[in-house]
Amino acid sequence: MAVDALDTRILRLLIEQPRTSVREYARILGIARGTLQARLDRMERDGVITGTGPVLSPAALGHPVLAFVHIEVTQGRLDEVGDALAAVPEIVEAFSITGGGDLLTRVVARDNGHLEDIVQRLIRMPGVVRTRTEMALRERVPHRLLPLVEAVGRAAGPRAESSR
């Protein structure tokens, strides 16, 4: 789904001022509230906007250790292992991957000992052949999407904002 210049402006506001009302967004953008709401609805329907909740800090929740655990899985058991990973609360993301391993998980832990306990739990899962753990030392680029949104908006060119 392509976004145009107005969509880009809307997304920028959502990222920069997430607690603002739809009415206020419309005022800032100088567009009708109905136009804004229609754009938001379309972007949600098209999967551009996938959530509207707070961004939480695992470290502030007592889990400052971040690691990436690569998991090699027995052939034919990827779905089973993926389902089992969903039951581990410290796994905050998991992806099927190519390359060295079958799954890549992002894991948070209270400390190194807790991380070891989590990895041992993963190793004991039926279908897990082996794991490889890499610990994050420092976040260099925080999770962000605004630069991507702006690049997509620029690539869309000067399409008329009122065309939708």
Side-chain angles (χ1 to χ4, degrees), residues 65-115:
V65 175
L66 172 61
F68 300 91
V69 180
H70 298 257
I71 303 171
E72 187 177 323
V73 177
T74 304
Q75 275 192 323
R77 305 210 44 199
L78 191 59
D79 289 339
E80 177 185 339
V81 173
D83 292 343
L85 294 176
V88 180
E90 295 87 357
I91 294 179
V92 295
E93 289 181 298
F95 301 91
S96 298
I97 60 168
T98 63
D102 299 299
L103 294 164
L104 175 64
T105 62
R106 187 164 68 119
V107 178
V108 295
R110 292 185 302 272
D111 53 38
N112 291 352
H114 183 219
L115 176 59

Side-chain angles (χ1 to χ4, degrees), residues 7-122:
D7 292 333
T8 300
R9 291 173 53 212
I10 292 167
L11 293 170
R12 174 185 266 287
L13 273 178
L14 290 173
I15 291 168
E16 292 179 341
Q17 301 177 36
R19 299 183 73 167
T20 302
S21 70
V22 171
R23 182 182 310 262
E24 182 62 11
Y25 288 142
R27 186 194 66 73
I28 292 168
L29 293 166
I31 61 175
R33 185 186 174 288
T35 300
L36 175 62
Q37 190 62 59
R39 295 278 185 134
L40 291 171
D41 292 345
R42 178 184 46 78
M43 287 191 283
E44 286 180 11
R45 190 175 52 254
D46 291 347
V48 174
I49 298 172
T50 59
T52 57
V55 177
L56 305 177
S57 165
L61 293 170
H63 290 68
V65 175
L66 172 61
F68 300 91
V69 180
H70 298 257
I71 303 171
E72 187 177 323
V73 177
T74 304
Q75 275 192 323
R77 305 210 44 199
L78 191 59
D79 289 339
E80 177 185 339
V81 173
D83 292 343
L85 294 176
V88 180
E90 295 87 357
I91 294 179
V92 295
E93 289 181 298
F95 301 91
S96 298
I97 60 168
T98 63
D102 299 299
L103 294 164
L104 175 64
T105 62
R106 187 164 68 119
V107 178
V108 295
R110 292 185 302 272
D111 53 38
N112 291 352
H114 183 219
L115 176 59
E116 181 182 14
D117 294 342
I118 295 164
V119 171
Q120 290 301 316
R121 179 176 176 186
L122 299 178

Side-chain angles (χ1 to χ4, degrees), residues 140-151:
R140 297 294 179 167
V141 177
H143 179 78
R144 75 229 172 97
L145 290 174
L146 186 55
L148 177 63
V149 167
E150 291 174 338

